Amino acid sequence: MKIRLTITRILIVLGTFGIQQQVSAQNGYFFPKATQLDPKIPTPEQFLGYPIGTYFTRHDQVVAYFRQLEKVSDRIHVQGIGKTYEQREQIIVTITAPANYNKLEQIRQEHLKQIDPATPALTNSSPIIIHLGYGVHGNETSSTETSLLTGYYLAASNDAETQKWLNESVIFIDPSLNPDGRDRAAAWVNSYHSFPAVGDPLDKEHQEGWPGGRTNHYFTDLNRDWLNLVQVESRNRLTFFHQWYPNVQIDFHEQGTNATYYFEPTPKSHESPIIPQFLYEYQVILAKYHAKALDDIGSLYFTKENYDNLSPIYGSTYPKFFGSVAATFEQASSRGILQESTNGPLTFAFTIRNHLATSFSTISGAIAEKAGLFKVQKDFFKYALEQGQKNPAKGFVFGDKNDVTLTQKFLGLLLQHHVEVYETSDNISQEGKTFEKGKSYVVPSAQPNFLIVHSIFEENSLKDSIFYDNTGWSIIHAYGLKYAKIPTAFSKGAQVKGLAAETGKLTGDRSGYAYLINSSDYNFTKALYQLQLKNILVKTAFKSFAANTPSGKKAYLPGSLVVPVVGQTISADSLYAALNTVAKTVNIEITSVSSGFSAEGIDLGSSNIRSLRKPEVALAFGQGVTSSEAGQVWFLLNQQLNLPVTKLDLQSFGRAALGRYNVLVLPGGNYSAWDKATVDKIKAWVNDGGTLITFQTATAWAVQQDIVKEKLSQTENFGRRGDIAPVPAPTEKPEDVKKEGVKAAVTEIRPQQSRPSSERLDYARQEDVEGSKRINGAIFLSDLDITHPIAFGVTSRKLFINKNGSTLLLPSANKYATVAQYTAKPFINGYSSKANIAKVANSAAIIATASGGGEVVLFADDPTYRGYWLGTSRLFLNAIFFGNLLGGGR
């Protein structure tokens, strides 16, 4: 018995010694200069049970480790800031000396006072605020692993340098900006990881399946959502950002496997024209600290190339619009545990170590340059205020009394960005539009956050063409909301501090005849679907009318909903109760009427008022479909309508019973995998009364397959009719994929060439010359037929569209079928070459055309673009509900 116990003790000692050796080896690799690491603080390896860099760590394990650090260290504090759609917790880890943490609120308040130009700048006795954001793209996984090592070292290290860092800074770590995407990527790699690791790039471990882990639950790129704030993760994160305005904020990413390491500064041509140059100059100052850190470990790197520093849609640029010296760090990706590269075998551990080195160089550099960074942020807000005072537009007014929902949505966005907004003090007439007091709001240019105001309201003019993402981001154009610039001084009402209480209501007593809902409110299709879910018969008016209501004569736009009392399957009392519930739930006004005899226009028994069918929607999904567009449709139908759309994988169409659906949506992508039998099946389904809705390249495919008798522009590189060129089939949109540290390939409009060009140019000019042919994303103006059912509820013929694809449609031969057509001078905002503008001019943006007994609605562009292009998404929703009633306009 004693012998067995002795052997057991020996094995325990040997096992402990082995673990200590492993920990020592890993610490030696990641922390080669560490001399005083507290053994009471568990390393990530000790907590997780495996060395960092040998597995992808799940998000719940990441959260659990930081909460364990919080238990054993008075330097670490964890707070939840919200949850993702898949109910994963978003956290922020605060790391600082206990003395700082004990007065954290005082530090925060003193820091925020820097917004006021009259407040003196902070002194060196104040801590610098540093924010390290890891893993906004879920499958760029080295950064979140880095966050674990960064947190461990700052908790465990007792050397003089670390003590200085803790005393002189407040460090925030967001360890996983995209928890849902991260776990999708982690599950893939951990499932296909081999022992030993396989470096062959073609191994399944490195060939992540559709849609990949880059995006969140709804396939949204969260690094394009900082200004738009469509997704819950972004809104949670922004709330925290505005509580602090860090002096330095870093966004950690990955790039192509054959690249090295990138850190800012970016090229001057990629800088924002409205950000002060002195802020960009501090990127150069901090860069020397990053260079030294990477030099010390022998890692290759590059700067001043490729990456945009332009718009506030990114995590590395949005903070700049509030005086932070923010930057992108890009590490070559192993996309697994080991992958071959042109620079030799690339291990996951190596990628983590590089990000760890720059995490520490960020902290040391920020502290060393503290005085200058305080001055930069102080000067920034002064600069922003001065620019606002000089702006030709002294302010902006917006709001529509007939569309409370859209007005409040836009107001809410401004408040989330901490923009100063005021009630109108009186009625305002501007640019031929009237804005009523109490129903509209004004935004002055002269405010410290003017640069965000500029980004939301003003058009930009970009001369360079070399950007890898959207160059037109004016939110006001995306919303399609009535607004105007105010060129002179104006009076302001009370400042708006929050959104008004919801005012949805049913006006009037229980009716024995009918109830009305105006189509002017963005939520009218939401109300329609909620009524249909209750099996309530709803009709829509194809022409405008005016009704005598309890509050007087009221005008109703085409598309307005009529709910008759007669013909329902429920009693008049139950109908009244149901309408009351929907009005409050959807926040919309429903009005009772006692007669079908209208004050003006058609009566309520007119044949121009038609019954609506409840949509049963199927959405193309899976490999070949552009995941971002599919995700946007999924998000819109779920979050706006509460509609349970069926997501049909392309591989399932052959055996799917399409008869159970009456609406089929094909986002952009490559549908060449569908054989003739599948195409014929879709044609037959449309002919039997289905509504087919297509975006971008799916529109080109539908034309090519003769599902519709429309035509693509002959200036487009589609060749002869019925023989279009192949379209890309990425799992991500080209704009969202970074390759080898070079900007992504983006859609290009190429004219046909009858013979090879004889022009000879210098090789070095290739990027500039070819780049000018691209449309990365710019805003164009179209003329919208507001009498068409696809445009129900819209009152302005000016429709702004984000164009980031090459599909060009000729106007329909059916003179009533072109719903929207680009104007002769369509360009509004962003960058597009003159040649491309000329090609877009006068082309069709939206066509609704009959095909047998059904209808096909062709969008040349993406109407649901990134979830925030509400001006066109409402047209897409109209297509879902009213497409079957169009009759081709014949």
Side-chain angles (χ1 to χ4, degrees), residues 185-398:
W188 179 274
V189 171
N190 290 340
S191 294
Y192 292 106
H193 174 33
S194 298
F195 305 92
V198 176
D200 186 343
L202 294 180
D203 184 73
K204 197 169 182 68
E205 178 183 353
H206 309 302
Q207 299 294 318
E208 191 179 9
W210 191 96
R214 178 185 179 90
T215 54
N216 79 338
H217 176 77
Y218 284 110
F219 306 162
T220 295
D221 187 333
L222 296 180
N223 198 40
R224 308 295 191 272
D225 197 42
W226 281 77
L227 184 63
N228 315 325
L229 298 181
V230 173
Q231 302 297 313
V232 66
E233 296 95 335
S234 304
R235 296 193 295 272
N236 292 339
R237 187 167 300 113
L238 202 81
T239 298
F240 180 82
F241 172 83
H242 281 284
Q243 292 171 3
W244 280 99
Y245 296 151
N247 298 105
V248 176
Q249 182 153 335
I250 306 298
D251 201 23
F252 290 85
H253 288 263
E254 288 181 355
Q255 54 188 327
T257 302
N258 293 323
T260 58
Y261 195 94
Y262 169 82
F263 56 88
E264 297 188 16
T266 48
K268 286 191 175 296
S269 60
H270 288 216
E271 295 175 355
S272 168
I274 62 174
I275 294 292
Q277 192 59 39
F278 62 75
L279 191 148
Y280 285 118
E281 288 170 357
Y282 250 84
Q283 291 181 329
V284 179
I285 292 172
L286 292 181
K288 66 184 180 183
Y289 295 93
H290 311 318
K292 184 179 186 307
L294 294 173
D295 286 342
D296 286 348
I297 58 175
S299 290
L300 299 174
Y301 55 86
F302 65 100
T303 64
K304 302 179 289 295
E305 296 181 54
N306 307 316
Y307 291 99
D308 287 357
N309 221 326
L310 180 66
S311 74
I313 64 174
Y314 308 113
S316 63
T317 49
Y318 183 85
K320 289 185 176 76
F321 286 71
F322 296 88
S324 300
V325 177
T328 289
F329 289 171
E330 299 270 358
Q331 164 61 47
S333 178
S334 63
R335 282 297 194 273
I337 306 304
L338 170 70
Q339 190 172 170
E340 298 164 6
S341 80
T342 56
N343 295 309
L346 182 62
T347 68
F348 192 34
F350 177 84
T351 68
I352 296 165
R353 186 179 67 155
N354 282 345
H355 269 333
L356 184 63
T358 54
S359 295
F360 291 152
S361 65
T362 297
I363 297 170
S364 62
I367 291 170
E369 304 295 339
K370 183 194 297 187
L373 289 167
F374 284 157
K375 186 176 187 303
V376 163
Q377 193 162 55
K378 183 70 180 173
D379 290 347
F380 172 87
F381 285 110
K382 180 181 178 182
Y383 168 89
L385 181 59
E386 291 172 349
Q387 292 300 305
Q389 292 167 341
K390 296 176 183 177
N391 196 50
K394 300 308 175 186
F396 308 87
V397 58
F398 70 90

Side-chain angles (χ1 to χ4, degrees), residues 510-517 528 530-540 561-579 590 609-612:
R510 182 178 71 84
S511 174
Y513 195 84
Y515 300 87
L516 306 177
I517 302 174
L528 166 58
Q530 293 308 304
L531 292 171
Q532 289 177 330
L533 285 177
K534 298 177 183 293
N535 295 316
I536 293 172
L537 171 66
V538 184
K539 296 186 173 186
T540 188
L561 305 178
V562 179
V563 183
V565 175
V566 175
Q568 301 292 349
T569 58
I570 58 177
S571 68
D573 287 338
S574 296
L575 177 63
Y576 181 71
L579 288 164
I590 302 178
I609 297 181
R610 307 177 191 178
S611 298
L612 293 166

Side-chain angles (χ1 to χ4, degrees), residues 707-722:
I707 294 175
V708 288
K709 302 299 181 183
E710 301 298 334
K711 294 182 179 180
L712 298 163
S713 170
Q714 294 303 301
T715 63
E716 178 60 278
N717 187 29
F718 288 126
R720 65 185 184 278
R721 178 171 167 77

Side-chain angles (χ1 to χ4, degrees), residues 61-82:
Q61 294 172 299
V62 172
V63 173
Y65 178 67
F66 278 110
R67 293 206 180 277
Q68 181 62 29
L69 289 183
E70 182 180 37
K71 291 178 182 178
V72 299
S73 172
D74 59 2
R75 306 172 183 178
I76 309 292
H77 309 273
V78 181
Q79 68 180 98
I81 59 171

